[in-house]
Amino acid sequence: MSTKDFIEKDYYKVLGVPKDATDAEIKKAYRKLARENHPDANKGNAKAEERFKEISEANDVLGDAKKRKEYDEARALFGNGGFRAGPGGAGGGTFNFDLGDLFGGGAQGGQSGQGGFGGGIGDVFGGLFNRGGAGTGTRTQPRRGQDIESEVTLSFTEAVDGATVPLRMSSQAPCKACSGTGDKNGTPRVCPTCVGTGQVSRGGGGGFSLTDPCVDCKGRGLIAETPCEVCKGSGRAKSSRTMQVRIPAGVSDGQRIRLRGKGAPGERGGPAGDLYVVVHVDAHPVFGRKGDNLTVTVPVTFTEAALGGEVKVPTLGGPSVTLKLPPGTPNGRTMRARGKGAVRKDGTRGDLLVTVEVAVPRDQDLTEEARSALESYRKATEDTDVRAELFQAAKGA
Ligand SMILES: [Zn+2]
Ligand SMILES: [Zn+2]
């Protein structure tokens, strides 16, 4: 795992836990996801396999106190996938040069040259650590809202057809009472400890220093003179809202959907974060799902299977279809009703896979007439040995 991985990958998001999750919460989230995406339970499902790898990687880091600390520090320095530097800073996007030697040992200035930065690494660190006066630097820049993770449970039919569902979410937002200042009168003073930057430096290895959020102002750079009563001076408040969320047709159980800009609102004019919805799908008593195809098992009589016939088959939410069974249809044969499956992304539909299951009449259901017909069928087939092939095969090989 490289430092680049640390900066580009959001392991918290992968596990669906908040940044301040406890070790127990991380462990729990990991176990649940690992179970759902385990290769043994998802044979041949490349997506699940990929996700399982991601989950394991995230757990390797977040599940280890030391690695998690390093990861958090790297992320605090370089932001979530985009570096938000001060003057001459980078545009959004990805931080695209290798930082390995920065963290491994001596930092060498001016080595990068590429990427969206105005200058070399020296400038980057200059911008980060030598920030003097209050009110400059990252604290005053627009900040993107947090991504939010939520869950929704759909009925089988809703998942196939798509649905609009209400989703109640709570997120951290600036406190309305004090406009996010934390001060009752809206006039907080600059924190003397960090001089308004919200961060304090401490010595690190390799001739540069790391920053931590300032303890005195909790990283806000401001201290409330008269703390706001609503948010107790934090400037942040839990806001909950209910949103109508459109879940596209064809989602499957365990799928994670990203809704751009539907996360927590940004700060200081920054864009909103994204909303990730993990979809759970209830099982249907009759229909199953295999990708775009639906499945159903239909009982047929022995005579229908042996002599052939037309069989009515139910479809999900539509009129039934009639399937022609050819004479001599074996038990367990699967037939295809085209276009009667789940909706695909392009609006077309998958198929309904119909598996026939020969129904054996219960003894008490047999009428005298049916019983004697079966007796004569037995007589008529006395010379047929259905197990002859079996015994032949058992002897060979
Ligand atoms: Zn401070
Ligand atoms: Zn407040």
Side-chain angles (χ1 to χ4, degrees), residues 174-184 227-237:
C175 168
K176 283 204 178 79
C178 60
S179 311
T181 61
D183 189 275
K184 193 179 175 185
C228 164
E229 283 149 17
V230 178
C231 63
K232 309 269 181 296
S234 72
R236 311 283 291 160

Side-chain angles (χ1 to χ4, degrees), residues 288-328:
R289 177 97 178 263
K290 260 188 192 167
D292 299 330
N293 296 330
L294 296 178
T295 61
V296 66
T297 297
V298 175
V300 299
T301 63
F302 175 71
T303 45
E304 282 172 330
L307 304 176
E310 295 197 332
V311 177
K312 252 191 177 176
V313 176
T315 65
L316 185 71
S320 56
V321 291
T322 302
L323 271 191
K324 264 206 173 83
L325 286 191

Side-chain angles (χ1 to χ4, degrees), residues 191-200 214-223:
C191 171
T193 311
C194 62
V195 226
T197 61
Q199 294 176 335
V200 285
C214 173
V215 181
D216 290 339
C217 62
K218 298 193 176 59
R220 295 179 51 241
L222 299 170
I223 288 179

Side-chain angles (χ1 to χ4, degrees), residues 338-361:
R338 291 204 185 274
K340 301 295 175 189
V343 181
R344 297 197 185 96
K345 266 200 187 112
D346 63 3
T348 62
R349 279 178 174 271
D351 303 331
L352 176 62
L353 304 179
V354 184
T355 302
V356 300
E357 188 179 69
V358 173
V360 176

